[in-house]
């Protein structure tokens, strides 16, 4: 039995007790009225019982609905926490990519950014590790990018990937891991949720 079912079962039990209590009180009131005037008392007692049952049922439904909402809210909070943990783990693994695999990724990110920018001279920014890697294999990158002139810019705060800008510095393409993940946030979250929660 799930936690939600246990909560609903407990709420049902409490609501039944409330119904019982309200009915008992209604019966007591009906007995007093019967003593005063039998004919009037029967009609009054019937009305009180109907009202009590209606009120008790409404209260029971309200308690159950509130419990279901609370269970759903808690479930969503747990799911969000797990999704955030998976995203943090993905970022950690991206930081720790082996150098050769990371270089291949950088080539792809640079190439798509250069194509989007459509310039022959670009400046590249990234973290220290990435800039060193690019500088050490600049000839390989130029060949891959069909002789696009690459200038190494300053180091920036990023877990990986690149930002490139044109020579004038007025157009930038952000292909850092963070920016790409942000652009695909809803798709990433949807995929993680599907894997984790079905």
């Amino acid at each position: 039995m799930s936690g939600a079912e246990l909560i609903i079962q407990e709420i049902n039990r409490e609501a039944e007790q409330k119904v019982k209590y309200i009915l008992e009180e209604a019966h007591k009131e009906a007995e007093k009225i019967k003593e005063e005037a039998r004919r009037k008392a029967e009609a009054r007692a019937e009305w009180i019982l109907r009202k009590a049952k209606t009120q008790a049922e409404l209260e029971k439904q309200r308690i159950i609905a509130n419990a279901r909402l609370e269970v759903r809210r808690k479930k969503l909070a747990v799911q969000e926490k797990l999704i955030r943990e998976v995203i943090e783990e993905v970022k950690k693994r991206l930081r720790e990519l082996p150098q050769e695999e990371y270089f291949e990724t950088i080539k792809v990110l640079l190439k798509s950014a250069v194509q989007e920018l459509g310039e022959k001279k670009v400046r590249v920014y990234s973290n220290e590790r990435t800039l060193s890697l690019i500088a050490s294999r600049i000839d390989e990158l130029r060949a891959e990018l069909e002789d696009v002139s690459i200038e190494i810019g300053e180091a920036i705060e990023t877990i990986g990937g690149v930002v490139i800008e044109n020579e004038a510095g007025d157009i930038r393409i952000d292909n850092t891991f963070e920016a790409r993940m942000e652009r695909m946030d809803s798709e990433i979250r949807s995929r993680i949720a599907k894997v984790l929660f079905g």
Side-chain angles (χ1 to χ4, degrees):
M1 192 176 287
S2 76
E5 288 170 339
L6 285 173
I7 291 170
I8 290 169
Q9 201 175 60
E10 177 62 20
I11 289 167
N12 274 331
R13 190 184 65 72
E14 286 178 17
E16 290 299 330
Q17 284 178 339
K18 266 192 175 176
V19 168
K20 188 177 174 186
Y21 174 77
I22 291 170
L23 289 174
E24 284 173 3
E25 291 301 305
H27 279 300
K28 286 177 190 174
E29 179 71 12
E31 287 302 317
K32 286 178 189 173
I33 294 170
K34 267 204 258 179
E35 286 173 19
E36 292 172 15
R38 184 151 171 48
R39 218 175 61 237
K40 279 185 174 180
E42 286 176 0
R44 178 89 174 138
E46 184 64 32
W47 179 81
I48 290 170
L49 284 171
R50 274 199 314 271
K51 184 178 176 186
K53 284 180 181 176
T54 302
Q55 285 176 335
E57 187 57 35
L58 288 171
E59 180 67 7
K60 175 182 168 183
Q61 293 305 322
R62 186 189 66 76
I63 291 168
I64 290 169
N66 285 344
R68 285 188 176 140
L69 281 172
E70 182 64 15
V71 167
R72 180 166 163 69
R73 189 188 63 75
K74 286 182 178 175
K75 180 182 172 187
L76 288 173
V78 168
Q79 287 178 341
E80 176 60 23
K81 181 177 182 275
L82 290 172
I83 288 170
R84 279 197 312 268
E85 286 174 6
V86 170
I87 289 171
E88 285 310 309
E89 182 61 27
V90 167
K91 287 179 180 178
K92 181 179 173 225
R93 290 187 185 185
L94 286 171
R95 279 187 200 97
E96 297 168 356
L97 279 175
Q99 185 158 313
E100 202 50 46
E101 187 180 342
Y102 183 56
F103 183 68
E104 290 303 314
T105 303
I106 291 302
K107 282 200 299 193
V108 170
L109 295 176
L110 264 172
K111 194 169 190 175
S112 78
V114 166
Q115 285 172 348
E116 191 176 339
L117 197 59
E119 303 269 341
K120 284 296 180 185
K121 288 185 175 182
V122 298
R123 193 173 301 107
V124 63
Y125 300 91
S126 190
N127 58 32
E128 292 285 354
R129 172 193 177 205
T130 308
L131 293 179
S132 297
L133 184 59
I134 290 170
S136 69
R137 298 175 75 169
I138 197 84
D139 292 335
E140 191 177 336
L141 285 169
R142 282 192 182 123
E144 183 80 24
L145 299 171
E146 299 165 2
D147 294 321
V148 170
S149 171
I150 302 170
E151 177 188 331
I152 306 290
E154 296 173 13
I156 59 170
E157 194 67 37
T158 179
I159 59 173
V162 293
V163 173
I164 71 162
E165 67 181 15
N166 62 354
E167 190 176 16
D170 56 355
I171 304 173
R172 285 188 140 205
I173 308 293
D174 191 341
N175 258 354
T176 57
F177 291 156
E178 296 97 317
R180 292 178 67 84
M181 287 177 79
E182 195 175 310
R183 288 193 293 266
M184 298 174 66
D185 185 63
S186 58
E187 185 183 339
I188 291 169
R189 286 173 165 277
S190 174
R191 285 186 183 184
I192 293 170
K194 193 169 184 180
V195 170
L196 291 178
F197 316 117

